[in-house]
Amino acid sequence: MEQPICVDQAQAGCGEGLLWDDRAGLIRWVDISGERLHAHDPATGSNSSVAMPCLISALALHQDGGLLIATARGLGRVDADTGKVDILGHPEPGLAGNRLNDMVAGPDGALWLGTMSEGAKAPSGSLYRSAEAGWDRLMSGTTISNGLDVSPDGRRLYFIDSVPGSLHCHEDGAWRIIRSFGDDIGRPDGMCVDRDGNLWIAICDRGQVIGMTPDGKPFDCIQLPCQIVTNCCFGGPDLDRLYITTGTFSMTEAEKSANPLAGGLFALPMPVRGKPPHRVRWTG
């Protein structure tokens, strides 16, 4: 396998929220701590970014072509050119100390969205699914809601709670843990599922992306040239490249100077392909 190449030396504090916007032909991602929305064009290699009015953490596509964004103020619709955000709703209105984190659109048009305490100070987070009457809570007592994606057949939802290192699977109406991460592998962060149903999981503290079977058995390891690896997704017109975000949030200024690629967006040609993105049918 080839080595990951840095395609945007953005030096993000915490790169996250990777999303392939197939209609625009862009890889979109966010810098949580830097409060910026980024875009990379695989066709031209060009990069752009826009400042945001508050902390942002995740992205999803709307069925009407719009772009949804998870923010410190709630779920919003964002103008990717100007950074203007219109807040649409919040699953936890008035719950001080919590914020939105990761989210993903399901094949049925529902939006799965996780919350967390700011700074991961307590297990006060929950996982929600959008419903006609508002939000259905599917899990509570989580710390850092991460790694949301759906299997190719739509039967499984995968969900990572990063602090305990638990990889959960929701199938046939029930939850089960299919992998518990320890010091042998590292702390799991964001993830994606390929067209064959295998999982690709960013290991935040090891500078790696791990390939795993649908039942949590490691079979591949991608090494990045920087320590903090936060998320990954398949993109490009043929969905045959893995894009990977990184961060600098726990690095000293000396460490940042020694590794200018840290906090960048990386790309890697893959022998497998990803799934086309789903779109949210949000009416709230």
Side-chain angles (χ1 to χ4, degrees):
M1 185 180 293
E2 298 182 37
Q3 296 299 307
I5 300 297
C6 186
V7 295
D8 186 353
Q9 195 171 322
Q11 296 183 316
C14 185
E16 261 289 359
L18 274 165
L19 176 70
W20 170 240
D21 186 341
D22 53 349
R23 293 180 183 175
L26 297 172
I27 283 286
R28 299 193 186 276
W29 59 289
V30 307
D31 179 359
I32 295 179
S33 54
E35 298 182 359
R36 296 194 72 86
L37 173 62
H38 293 263
H40 169 72
D41 187 339
T44 65
S46 62
N47 299 300
S48 61
S49 71
V50 61
M52 302 298 294
C54 60
L55 180 149
I56 54 175
S57 57
L59 301 166
L61 300 175
H62 193 275
Q63 64 177 354
D64 67 4
L67 185 65
L68 301 182
I69 192 163
T71 81
R73 302 171 185 171
L75 177 68
R77 180 188 293 269
V78 62
D79 184 321
D81 295 322
T82 66
K84 182 178 183 296
V85 176
D86 295 317
I87 299 299
L88 304 176
H90 201 304
E92 296 175 343
L95 184 55
N98 266 25
R99 68 166 175 85
L100 309 186
N101 199 42
D102 212 348
M103 65 182 183
V104 70
D108 60 353
L111 180 67
W112 294 80
L113 189 154
T115 65
M116 61 175 284
S117 68
E118 186 58 64
K121 297 175 181 177
S124 61
S126 294
L127 179 65
Y128 297 89
R129 183 181 183 274
S130 63
E132 290 185 7
W135 298 92
D136 292 333
R137 186 162 63 180
L138 278 299
M139 185 184 293
S140 60
T142 61
T143 51
I144 302 180
S145 301
N146 265 324
L148 282 166
D149 205 359
V150 183
S151 63
D153 61 9
R155 295 185 58 190
R156 285 184 167 192
L157 175 87
Y158 295 101
F159 169 65
I160 289 171
D161 189 358
S162 290
V163 171
S166 301
L167 172 60
H168 300 263
C169 174
H170 186 268
E171 185 176 22
D172 297 329
W175 286 103
R176 61 189 175 97
I177 294 177
I178 61 175
R179 182 84 193 197
S180 294
F181 291 72
D183 292 340
D184 57 328
I185 296 180
R187 179 174 292 183
D189 202 318
M191 64 158 285
C192 64
V193 179
D194 67 28
R195 193 169 295 183
D196 296 332
N198 292 312
L199 286 60
W200 298 88
I201 301 175
I203 306 301
C204 186
D205 56 348
R206 300 291 173 88
Q208 297 174 343
V209 173
I210 300 292
M212 286 191 167
T213 67
D215 293 320
K217 297 178 181 179
F219 68 86
D220 202 353
C221 179
I222 299 167
Q223 188 68 48
L224 278 291
C226 44
Q227 184 75 5
I228 304 169
V229 178
T230 52
N231 206 344
C232 57
C233 85
F234 285 87
D238 296 321
L239 293 167
D240 58 355
R241 287 181 176 267
L242 189 68
Y243 289 88
I244 304 165
T245 50
T246 63
T248 60
F249 55 82
S250 63
M251 298 173 64
T252 66
E253 291 303 318
E255 288 171 335
K256 293 177 186 178
S257 297
N259 190 351
L261 298 184
L265 174 69
F266 290 79
L268 175 67
M270 295 290 285
V272 296
R273 296 190 180 190
K275 307 179 280 82
H278 299 297
R279 286 181 154 73
V280 179
R281 292 199 294 269
W282 175 267
T283 58

